[in-house]
Amino acid sequence: MTVVILIIDMQVDFFAHERLSQRRPALVAATNELVVAARDAGVPVAWVKQEFSPDLGDASLEVKRGRIRVVIAGTPGASILPELDVRPTDHVIVKKRYSAFFATDLDAHLNELQCSQLIIAGVNTHACIRATVVDAYQRDYDVILARDCIDSVDREHHEITWRYMDGKLGLGMDNKRIQALLQSQSAEPKSDNVIKRG
């Protein structure tokens, strides 16, 4: 069994929003800190990107109906923020809907790694984070919510969704606690490579 870090939708277009633009430096720093801790502990890192075709043929209904041209494949806006510590060895998942599990290879990737626990980070709390966390919960993954690395374009929705998820669908932890747990479990046998939540 193993732990996997899943970082969702940290892309240029999403950070064009005023609130996330202001939060960008702090979120990038916290996410990179989490990634370094993961690499030091030998924990796999997976990045999730939302991408739509230029004609929006594969986009969600909201995007199609509004002709919202966001995270278009091949454009700079669909790129992961350049400040983030993405490595060629990291796994990248492209999704078309809110959940990172919907019509992607995430299930297969996690099964291959014998994953039993996910540490989830990224944006937006009330949309793609929540949908992914719900799907992870329904698959019986033990979920840790990286408190310092999750936010939303809407503060109120972020706070309401956080209250809904934390303690029920997953357990919120700040980076300091996650780092301590990653360090403590990295010395354990790989067969028991799961962060203890208690």
Side-chain angles (χ1 to χ4, degrees):
M1 299 295 180
T2 191
V3 185
V4 174
I5 304 278
L6 194 63
I7 304 168
I8 300 171
D9 290 356
M10 296 287 284
Q11 293 164 265
V12 173
D13 274 352
F14 294 133
F15 279 80
H17 186 280
E18 182 180 359
R19 183 165 189 272
L20 284 184
S21 177
Q22 294 171 354
R23 295 279 297 126
R24 180 170 173 166
L27 284 170
V28 164
T31 302
N32 280 339
E33 182 180 60
L34 182 65
V35 167
V36 168
R39 296 195 205 288
D40 288 347
V43 170
V45 177
W47 302 86
V48 179
K49 297 173 58 179
Q50 183 107 326
E51 281 189 1
F52 302 127
S53 63
D55 65 0
L56 302 182
D58 57 359
S60 62
L61 286 177
E62 178 190 10
V63 173
K64 283 181 183 175
R65 289 169 176 167
R67 302 299 298 170
I68 303 168
R69 299 198 57 77
V70 65
V71 290
I72 302 301
T75 67
S79 301
I80 294 173
L81 298 178
E83 312 98 296
L84 289 169
D85 183 17
V86 182
R87 303 282 177 87
T89 52
D90 295 340
H91 192 70
V92 178
I93 295 151
V94 176
K95 66 181 176 65
K96 306 294 180 179
R97 297 295 185 270
Y98 282 169
S99 174
F101 287 94
F102 184 83
T104 71
D105 71 348
L106 181 56
D107 270 322
H109 179 63
L110 297 179
N111 286 337
E112 183 180 346
L113 294 172
Q114 295 186 297
C115 176
S116 61
Q117 186 173 65
L118 289 172
I119 300 174
I120 296 179
V123 298
N124 282 291
T125 320
H126 62 286
C128 297
I129 297 294
R130 178 172 62 181
T132 300
V133 168
V134 167
D135 279 356
Y137 174 82
Q138 292 179 146
R139 286 164 169 80
D140 294 327
Y141 286 107
D142 187 39
V143 175
I144 290 176
L145 305 164
R147 183 185 304 274
D148 298 332
C149 309
I150 295 175
D151 214 326
S152 175
V153 296
D154 187 302
R155 180 174 180 175
E156 182 178 7
H157 280 302
H158 165 76
E159 292 173 352
I160 290 169
T161 304
W162 186 268
R163 289 199 301 272
Y164 166 68
M165 295 189 301
D166 188 17
K168 179 177 181 178
L169 304 179
L171 182 64
M173 295 187 186
D174 61 22
N175 272 5
K176 185 175 181 180
R177 185 173 176 195
I178 293 172
Q179 288 168 352
L181 290 168
L182 285 172
Q183 289 169 1
S184 68
Q185 63 84 38
S186 66
E188 296 176 5
K190 290 297 181 181
S191 61
D192 191 31
N193 188 20
V194 177
I195 294 176
K196 308 300 189 295
R197 301 202 319 171

